[in-house]
Amino acid sequence: MLDAGFSDVSVEVHTLVFTEEAMLPVPVAHARAARQAGAITGDEADNWISEQTRRAREDRLLVAIPMFLAAGSAGT
């Protein structure tokens, strides 16, 4: 934002925290994307997905999603 000419730039982070089983598709999609990108093996992805699925069923899932909010004043 500074490079674009804004002044008085500030940034806040707000974190959403979910523990419901309904959020399980979020970490599963990340694991599948990591596998597809070659960052982890298929076995690693499958094992991790199984672990998260177990946690979700036992009400032990934790998904945290940070959101960054930047604000600034336009130059005059």
Side-chain angles (χ1 to χ4, degrees):
M1 291 182 72
L2 294 172
D3 289 345
F6 288 85
S7 60
D8 299 321
V9 174
S10 64
V11 178
E12 298 176 6
V13 65
H14 300 270
T15 305
L16 302 172
V17 176
F18 301 94
T19 58
E20 302 86 23
E21 187 173 355
M23 291 301 293
L24 184 59
V26 174
V28 168
H30 282 82
R32 289 181 177 152
R35 176 178 54 201
Q36 191 171 20
I40 60 176
T41 67
D43 284 343
E44 289 171 321
D46 292 342
N47 290 338
W48 192 82
I49 289 169
S50 292
E51 174 67 13
Q52 300 316 306
T53 301
R54 181 190 64 77
R55 290 175 181 272
R57 288 185 182 140
E58 295 176 359
D59 197 29
R60 296 293 183 261
L61 182 67
L62 175 66
V63 177
I65 302 173
M67 295 187 325
F68 296 89
L69 173 65
S73 300
T76 54

Coordinates of all heavy atoms in Angstrom, one line a residue:
M1 N 0.8 -1.2 0.0 CA 0.0 0.0 0.0 C 0.9 1.2 0.0 O 0.5 2.2 -0.6 CB -1.0 0.0 1.2 CG -2.1 -1.1 1.1 SD -3.2 -1.1 2.4 CE -4.2 0.4 2.1
L2 N 2.0 1.2 0.7 CA 2.9 2.3 0.7 C 3.4 2.6 -0.7 O 3.5 3.8 -1.1 CB 4.0 2.1 1.7 CG 3.6 2.1 3.2 CD1 4.8 1.6 4.1 CD2 3.0 3.4 3.7
D3 N 3.8 1.6 -1.4 CA 4.3 1.7 -2.7 C 3.2 2.3 -3.7 O 3.5 2.9 -4.7 CB 4.8 0.4 -3.3 CG 6.1 -0.1 -2.6 OD1 6.7 0.8 -1.9 OD2 6.4 -1.3 -2.8
A4 N 2.0 2.1 -3.3 CA 0.9 2.6 -4.2 C 0.5 4.0 -3.8 O -0.5 4.6 -4.3 CB -0.4 1.7 -4.1
G5 N 1.2 4.6 -2.8 CA 0.9 6.0 -2.5 C 0.0 6.2 -1.2 O -0.3 7.4 -0.9
F6 N -0.3 5.2 -0.6 CA -1.2 5.3 0.6 C -0.3 5.8 1.8 O 0.9 5.4 1.9 CB -1.9 4.0 1.0 CG -3.0 3.7 0.1 CD1 -2.8 3.0 -1.1 CD2 -4.3 4.0 0.4 CE1 -3.8 2.7 -2.0 CE2 -5.4 3.7 -0.5 CZ -5.1 3.1 -1.7
S7 N -0.9 6.5 2.8 CA -0.2 6.8 4.0 C -1.0 6.3 5.2 O -2.1 5.9 5.0 CB 0.0 8.3 4.1 OG -1.2 9.0 4.1
D8 N -0.4 6.4 6.4 CA -1.1 6.0 7.6 C -1.6 4.5 7.4 O -2.7 4.2 7.8 CB -2.3 6.9 8.0 CG -1.8 8.3 8.2 OD1 -0.8 8.5 8.9 OD2 -2.5 9.3 7.8
V9 N -0.8 3.7 6.9 CA -1.1 2.3 6.6 C -1.1 1.5 7.9 O -0.2 1.7 8.7 CB -0.2 1.7 5.6 CG1 -0.5 0.2 5.4 CG2 -0.3 2.4 4.3
S10 N -2.1 0.7 8.1 CA -2.2 -0.2 9.3 C -2.7 -1.5 8.8 O -3.4 -1.7 7.8 CB -3.1 0.4 10.4 OG -4.4 0.4 9.9
V11 N -2.3 -2.5 9.6 CA -2.7 -3.9 9.3 C -3.2 -4.6 10.6 O -2.6 -4.5 11.6 CB -1.6 -4.7 8.7 CG1 -2.0 -6.2 8.4 CG2 -1.0 -4.1 7.4
E12 N -4.4 -5.2 10.5 CA -4.9 -6.0 11.6 C -5.1 -7.5 11.1 O -5.3 -7.7 10.0 CB -6.3 -5.5 12.0 CG -6.3 -4.1 12.5 CD -7.8 -3.6 12.8 OE1 -8.7 -4.5 12.7 OE2 -7.9 -2.5 13.1
V13 N -4.9 -8.4 12.1 CA -5.2 -9.8 11.8 C -6.4 -10.2 12.7 O -6.4 -9.9 13.8 CB -4.0 -10.7 11.9 CG1 -3.5 -10.7 13.4 CG2 -4.3 -12.1 11.4
H14 N -7.3 -10.9 12.0 CA -8.5 -11.5 12.7 C -8.4 -13.0 12.4 O -8.3 -13.3 11.3 CB -9.8 -10.8 12.3 CG -9.8 -9.4 12.5 ND1 -10.3 -8.8 13.7 CD2 -9.5 -8.3 11.8 CE1 -10.3 -7.5 13.6 NE2 -9.7 -7.2 12.5
T15 N -8.5 -13.8 13.4 CA -8.5 -15.2 13.2 C -9.8 -15.9 13.5 O -10.4 -15.7 14.6 CB -7.4 -15.8 14.1 OG1 -6.1 -15.2 13.9 CG2 -7.2 -17.3 13.8
L16 N -10.3 -16.6 12.5 CA -11.5 -17.3 12.7 C -11.1 -18.7 13.2 O -10.2 -19.3 12.6 CB -12.3 -17.4 11.4 CG -12.7 -16.1 10.8 CD1 -13.3 -16.3 9.4 CD2 -13.7 -15.4 11.7
V17 N -11.8 -19.2 14.2 CA -11.5 -20.6 14.8 C -12.7 -21.4 14.7 O -13.8 -21.0 15.1 CB -11.0 -20.5 16.2 CG1 -10.8 -21.8 16.8 CG2 -9.7 -19.6 16.3
F18 N -12.6 -22.6 14.1 CA -13.7 -23.5 13.9 C -13.3 -24.9 14.5 O -12.2 -25.3 14.4 CB -14.0 -23.7 12.4 CG -14.3 -22.5 11.7 CD1 -13.4 -21.8 11.0 CD2 -15.6 -22.0 11.7 CE1 -13.7 -20.6 10.3 CE2 -16.0 -20.9 11.0 CZ -15.0 -20.2 10.3
T19 N -14.3 -25.5 15.1 CA -14.1 -26.8 15.7 C -15.1 -27.8 15.2 O -15.1 -29.0 15.6 CB -14.1 -26.8 17.2 OG1 -15.3 -26.3 17.7 CG2 -12.9 -25.9 17.8
E20 N -16.0 -27.4 14.3 CA -17.1 -28.2 13.9 C -16.6 -29.2 12.8 O -15.8 -28.8 11.9 CB -18.2 -27.4 13.3 CG -18.8 -26.4 14.2 CD -18.1 -25.1 14.3 OE1 -17.4 -24.8 13.3 OE2 -18.1 -24.4 15.3
E21 N -17.1 -30.4 12.7 CA -16.8 -31.4 11.7 C -17.1 -30.8 10.3 O -16.5 -31.2 9.3 CB -17.6 -32.7 12.0 CG -17.2 -33.8 11.1 CD -17.8 -35.1 11.4 OE1 -18.5 -35.2 12.4 OE2 -17.6 -36.1 10.7
A22 N -18.1 -29.9 10.2 CA -18.4 -29.4 8.9 C -17.3 -28.6 8.2 O -17.3 -28.4 7.0 CB -19.6 -28.4 9.1
M23 N -16.2 -28.3 9.0 CA -15.1 -27.6 8.5 C -14.0 -28.5 8.0 O -13.0 -28.1 7.4 CB -14.5 -26.6 9.5 CG -15.4 -25.4 9.8 SD -15.7 -24.4 8.3 CE -14.1 -23.8 8.0
L24 N -14.2 -29.8 8.1 CA -13.2 -30.8 7.7 C -12.8 -30.7 6.2 O -11.6 -30.9 5.9 CB -13.7 -32.2 8.0 CG -12.7 -33.4 7.7 CD1 -11.5 -33.2 8.5 CD2 -13.4 -34.7 8.0
P25 N -13.7 -30.3 5.3 CA -13.2 -30.2 3.9 C -12.1 -29.1 3.7 O -11.3 -29.3 2.8 CB -14.5 -29.8 3.2 CG -15.6 -30.3 4.0 CD -15.1 -30.2 5.4
V26 N -12.0 -28.2 4.6 CA -10.9 -27.2 4.4 C -9.5 -27.8 4.6 O -8.7 -27.7 3.7 CB -11.2 -26.0 5.4 CG1 -10.0 -25.0 5.3 CG2 -12.5 -25.3 5.1
P27 N -9.2 -28.4 5.7 CA -7.9 -29.0 5.8 C -7.7 -30.2 4.8 O -6.5 -30.4 4.3 CB -7.8 -29.4 7.3 CG -9.1 -29.5 7.7 CD -9.9 -28.5 7.0
V28 N -8.7 -30.9 4.5 CA -8.6 -32.0 3.5 C -8.2 -31.4 2.2 O -7.3 -32.0 1.5 CB -9.9 -32.8 3.5 CG1 -9.9 -33.7 2.3 CG2 -10.1 -33.6 4.7
A29 N -8.8 -30.3 1.8 CA -8.5 -29.7 0.5 C -7.0 -29.3 0.5 O -6.3 -29.4 -0.5 CB -9.4 -28.6 0.2
H30 N -6.5 -28.7 1.6 CA -5.1 -28.3 1.7 C -4.2 -29.5 1.6 O -3.2 -29.4 0.9 CB -4.9 -27.5 3.0 CG -5.4 -26.1 2.9 ND1 -6.7 -25.8 3.1 CD2 -4.8 -25.0 2.6 CE1 -6.8 -24.5 3.0 NE2 -5.7 -24.0 2.7
A31 N -4.5 -30.6 2.2 CA -3.7 -31.8 2.1 C -3.6 -32.3 0.7 O -2.6 -32.7 0.2 CB -4.2 -32.8 3.1
R32 N -4.8 -32.3 0.0 CA -4.8 -32.8 -1.3 C -4.0 -31.9 -2.3 O -3.3 -32.4 -3.2 CB -6.3 -33.0 -1.8 CG -6.9 -34.1 -1.1 CD -8.4 -34.3 -1.6 NE -8.9 -35.5 -0.9 CZ -10.2 -35.7 -0.7 NH1 -11.1 -34.7 -1.0 NH2 -10.6 -36.8 -0.1
A33 N -4.1 -30.6 -2.0 CA -3.3 -29.7 -2.9 C -1.8 -29.8 -2.6 O -1.0 -29.8 -3.6 CB -3.8 -28.2 -2.5
A34 N -1.5 -30.1 -1.4 CA 0.0 -30.3 -1.1 C 0.5 -31.6 -1.8 O 1.6 -31.6 -2.3 CB 0.2 -30.4 0.4
R35 N -0.4 -32.6 -1.8 CA 0.0 -33.9 -2.4 C 0.1 -33.6 -3.9 O 1.1 -34.1 -4.6 CB -1.1 -34.9 -2.2 CG -0.8 -36.2 -2.9 CD -1.7 -37.3 -2.6 NE -3.1 -36.9 -2.9 CZ -4.2 -37.4 -2.4 NH1 -4.1 -38.5 -1.6 NH2 -5.4 -37.0 -2.6
Q36 N -0.8 -32.9 -4.5 CA -0.8 -32.7 -5.9 C 0.4 -31.8 -6.4 O 1.0 -32.0 -7.4 CB -2.1 -31.9 -6.4 CG -2.3 -31.9 -7.9 CD -3.7 -31.4 -8.2 OE1 -4.4 -30.7 -7.4 NE2 -4.1 -31.7 -9.4
A37 N 0.8 -30.9 -5.5 CA 2.0 -30.1 -5.8 C 3.3 -30.8 -5.5 O 4.4 -30.3 -5.9 CB 1.9 -28.8 -4.9
G38 N 3.2 -32.0 -4.9 CA 4.4 -32.8 -4.7 C 5.1 -32.4 -3.4 O 6.2 -32.9 -3.1
A39 N 4.4 -31.6 -2.5 CA 5.0 -31.2 -1.3 C 5.0 -32.4 -0.2 O 5.8 -32.4 0.7 CB 4.3 -30.0 -0.7
I40 N 4.0 -33.3 -0.4 CA 3.9 -34.4 0.5 C 3.6 -35.6 -0.4 O 3.1 -35.5 -1.5 CB 2.9 -34.2 1.6 CG1 1.5 -34.0 1.1 CG2 3.3 -33.1 2.6 CD1 0.4 -33.9 2.1
T41 N 3.8 -36.8 0.2 CA 3.5 -38.0 -0.6 C 2.0 -38.3 -0.4 O 1.3 -37.8 0.5 CB 4.3 -39.2 0.0 OG1 3.8 -39.5 1.3 CG2 5.8 -39.0 -0.1
G42 N 1.5 -39.2 -1.2 CA 0.1 -39.7 -1.1 C -0.2 -40.3 0.2 O -1.2 -40.1 0.8
D43 N 0.8 -41.1 0.7 CA 0.6 -41.8 2.0 C 0.6 -40.7 3.1 O -0.2 -40.9 4.1 CB 1.8 -42.8 2.3 CG 1.6 -44.1 1.5 OD1 0.5 -44.3 1.0 OD2 2.6 -44.8 1.4
E44 N 1.4 -39.7 3.0 CA 1.4 -38.7 4.1 C 0.1 -38.0 4.1 O -0.5 -37.7 5.1 CB 2.6 -37.7 3.8 CG 3.9 -38.2 4.1 CD 5.0 -37.3 3.7 OE1 5.0 -36.7 2.6 OE2 6.0 -37.2 4.5
A45 N -0.4 -37.6 2.9 CA -1.7 -37.0 2.8 C -2.8 -37.8 3.4 O -3.6 -37.4 4.2 CB -2.0 -36.6 1.3
D46 N -2.8 -39.1 2.9 CA -3.9 -40.0 3.4 C -3.9 -40.2 4.9 O -4.9 -40.2 5.6 CB -3.8 -41.4 2.7 CG -4.1 -41.3 1.2 OD1 -4.7 -40.3 0.8 OD2 -3.7 -42.2 0.5
N47 N -2.7 -40.3 5.5 CA -2.5 -40.5 6.9 C -3.0 -39.3 7.7 O -3.7 -39.3 8.7 CB -1.1 -40.8 7.3 CG -0.7 -42.2 6.9 OD1 -1.5 -43.1 6.7 ND2 0.6 -42.4 6.7
W48 N -2.6 -38.1 7.2 CA -3.0 -36.8 7.8 C -4.5 -36.6 7.7 O -5.1 -36.2 8.7 CB -2.2 -35.7 7.2 CG -2.3 -34.4 8.0 CD1 -1.6 -34.1 9.1 CD2 -3.2 -33.3 7.8 NE1 -2.0 -32.8 9.6 CE2 -3.0 -32.4 8.8 CE3 -4.2 -33.1 6.8 CZ2 -3.7 -31.2 8.8 CZ3 -4.9 -31.9 6.8 CH2 -4.7 -31.0 7.8
I49 N -5.1 -36.9 6.6 CA -6.5 -36.7 6.4 C -7.3 -37.7 7.3 O -8.3 -37.3 7.9 CB -6.9 -37.0 4.9 CG1 -6.4 -35.8 4.1 CG2 -8.4 -37.2 4.8 CD1 -6.5 -36.0 2.6
S50 N -6.8 -38.9 7.4 CA -7.4 -39.9 8.4 C -7.3 -39.4 9.8 O -8.3 -39.5 10.5 CB -6.7 -41.2 8.3 OG -6.9 -41.8 7.0
E51 N -6.2 -38.8 10.2 CA -6.1 -38.3 11.5 C -7.0 -37.1 11.8 O -7.7 -37.0 12.8 CB -4.6 -37.8 11.8 CG -4.4 -37.1 13.1 CD -4.6 -38.0 14.3 OE1 -4.6 -39.3 14.2 OE2 -4.7 -37.5 15.4
Q52 N -7.1 -36.2 10.8 CA -8.1 -35.1 11.0 C -9.5 -35.5 11.0 O -10.3 -35.0 11.7 CB -7.8 -34.0 9.9 CG -6.4 -33.4 9.9 CD -5.9 -33.1 11.3 OE1 -6.5 -32.3 12.0 NE2 -4.7 -33.6 11.6
T53 N -9.8 -36.5 10.2 CA -11.2 -37.1 10.2 C -11.5 -37.7 11.5 O -12.6 -37.5 12.1 CB -11.3 -38.1 9.1 OG1 -11.0 -37.5 7.8 CG2 -12.7 -38.7 9.0
R54 N -10.6 -38.4 12.1 CA -10.8 -39.0 13.4 C -11.0 -37.9 14.5 O -11.9 -37.9 15.3 CB -9.6 -39.9 13.9 CG -9.7 -40.5 15.2 CD -8.5 -41.1 15.7 NE -7.4 -40.2 15.9 CZ -7.3 -39.4 17.0 NH1 -8.2 -39.3 17.9 NH2 -6.2 -38.6 17.1
R55 N -10.2 -36.9 14.4 CA -10.3 -35.7 15.3 C -11.7 -35.1 15.2 O -12.3 -34.7 16.2 CB -9.2 -34.7 15.1 CG -7.8 -35.2 15.5 CD -6.8 -34.1 15.1 NE -5.5 -34.5 15.5 CZ -4.9 -34.3 16.7 NH1 -5.6 -33.7 17.6 NH2 -3.7 -34.7 16.9
A56 N -12.1 -34.9 14.0 CA -13.4 -34.3 13.7 C -14.5 -35.1 14.4 O -15.4 -34.5 15.0 CB -13.7 -34.1 12.2
R57 N -14.5 -36.4 14.2 CA -15.5 -37.3 14.7 C -15.5 -37.3 16.2 O -16.5 -37.5 16.9 CB -15.3 -38.7 14.2 CG -15.7 -38.8 12.7 CD -15.6 -40.2 12.2 NE -15.9 -40.2 10.8 CZ -15.3 -40.9 9.9 NH1 -14.4 -41.8 10.3 NH2 -15.7 -40.9 8.6
E58 N -14.3 -37.0 16.8 CA -14.2 -37.0 18.3 C -14.3 -35.6 18.9 O -14.0 -35.4 20.0 CB -12.9 -37.7 18.7 CG -12.8 -39.1 18.3 CD -11.4 -39.8 18.6 OE1 -10.5 -39.0 19.1 OE2 -11.3 -41.0 18.3
D59 N -14.8 -34.7 18.1 CA -14.9 -33.3 18.5 C -13.6 -32.7 18.9 O -13.5 -32.0 19.9 CB -16.0 -33.2 19.6 CG -16.5 -31.8 19.8 OD1 -16.5 -31.0 18.8 OD2 -16.9 -31.4 20.9
R60 N -12.6 -33.0 18.2 CA -11.2 -32.5 18.5 C -10.6 -31.8 17.3 O -9.4 -31.5 17.3 CB -10.3 -33.6 19.0 CG -10.7 -34.3 20.3 CD -10.6 -33.3 21.4 NE -10.9 -33.9 22.7 CZ -12.1 -33.8 23.3 NH1 -13.1 -33.1 22.7 NH2 -12.3 -34.3 24.5
L61 N -11.4 -31.4 16.3 CA -10.8 -30.7 15.2 C -10.6 -29.3 15.5 O -11.4 -28.6 16.2 CB -11.8 -30.8 14.0 CG -11.3 -30.2 12.7 CD1 -10.1 -30.9 12.1 CD2 -12.5 -30.2 11.7
L62 N -9.5 -28.7 15.0 CA -9.3 -27.3 15.1 C -8.8 -26.7 13.8 O -7.8 -27.2 13.2 CB -8.2 -27.0 16.2 CG -7.8 -25.5 16.3 CD1 -8.9 -24.7 16.8 CD2 -6.5 -25.4 17.2
V63 N -9.6 -25.8 13.2 CA -9.2 -25.1 12.0 C -9.2 -23.6 12.3 O -10.2 -23.0 12.8 CB -10.3 -25.4 10.9 CG1 -10.0 -24.6 9.6 CG2 -10.4 -26.9 10.6
A64 N -8.0 -23.0 12.1 CA -7.9 -21.6 12.3 C -7.6 -20.9 11.0 O -6.7 -21.3 10.3 CB -6.8 -21.3 13.3
I65 N -8.3 -19.8 10.7 CA -8.1 -19.1 9.4 C -7.8 -17.7 9.7 O -8.7 -17.0 10.1 CB -9.4 -19.3 8.5 CG1 -9.7 -20.8 8.2 CG2 -9.2 -18.5 7.2 CD1 -11.0 -21.0 7.5
P66 N -6.6 -17.2 9.5 CA -6.3 -15.8 9.7 C -6.8 -14.9 8.5 O -6.6 -15.4 7.3 CB -4.8 -15.8 9.8 CG -4.3 -17.0 9.0 CD -5.4 -18.0 9.1
M67 N -7.3 -13.8 8.8 CA -7.7 -12.8 7.8 C -7.0 -11.5 8.1 O -7.0 -11.0 9.2 CB -9.2 -12.6 7.8 CG -10.0 -13.8 7.4 SD -11.8 -13.6 7.2 CE -12.2 -12.3 8.4
F68 N -6.3 -11.0 7.1 CA -5.6 -9.7 7.3 C -6.4 -8.6 6.7 O -6.9 -8.7 5.6 CB -4.2 -9.8 6.6 CG -3.3 -10.9 7.2 CD1 -3.4 -12.2 6.8 CD2 -2.5 -10.5 8.3 CE1 -2.6 -13.1 7.4 CE2 -1.7 -11.5 8.9 CZ -1.7 -12.8 8.4
L69 N -6.5 -7.5 7.4 CA -7.2 -6.3 7.0 C -6.2 -5.1 7.0 O -5.6 -4.8 8.0 CB -8.4 -6.0 7.9 CG -9.1 -4.7 7.6 CD1 -9.8 -4.7 6.3 CD2 -10.1 -4.4 8.7
A70 N -6.0 -4.6 5.8 CA -5.1 -3.5 5.7 C -5.9 -2.2 5.3 O -6.8 -2.3 4.5 CB -4.0 -3.7 4.6
A71 N -5.5 -1.1 5.9 CA -6.2 0.2 5.6 C -5.2 1.3 5.5 O -4.1 1.2 6.1 CB -7.2 0.5 6.7
G72 N -5.5 2.3 4.8 CA -4.6 3.4 4.7 C -5.4 4.6 4.1 O -6.5 4.5 3.6
S73 N -4.7 5.8 4.1 CA -5.3 7.0 3.6 C -4.7 7.2 2.2 O -3.5 7.1 2.0 CB -5.0 8.2 4.5 OG -5.5 8.0 5.8
A74 N -5.6 7.6 1.3 CA -5.2 7.9 -0.1 C -4.4 9.2 -0.1 O -4.8 10.1 0.6 CB -6.4 8.0 -1.0
G75 N -3.4 9.3 -0.9 CA -2.6 10.5 -1.0 C -3.4 11.6 -1.6 O -4.4 11.4 -2.3
T76 N -3.1 12.9 -1.2 CA -3.8 14.0 -1.8 C -3.0 14.8 -2.8 O -1.8 14.8 -2.8 CB -4.3 15.0 -0.7 OG1 -3.1 15.4 0.1 CG2 -5.3 14.3 0.2

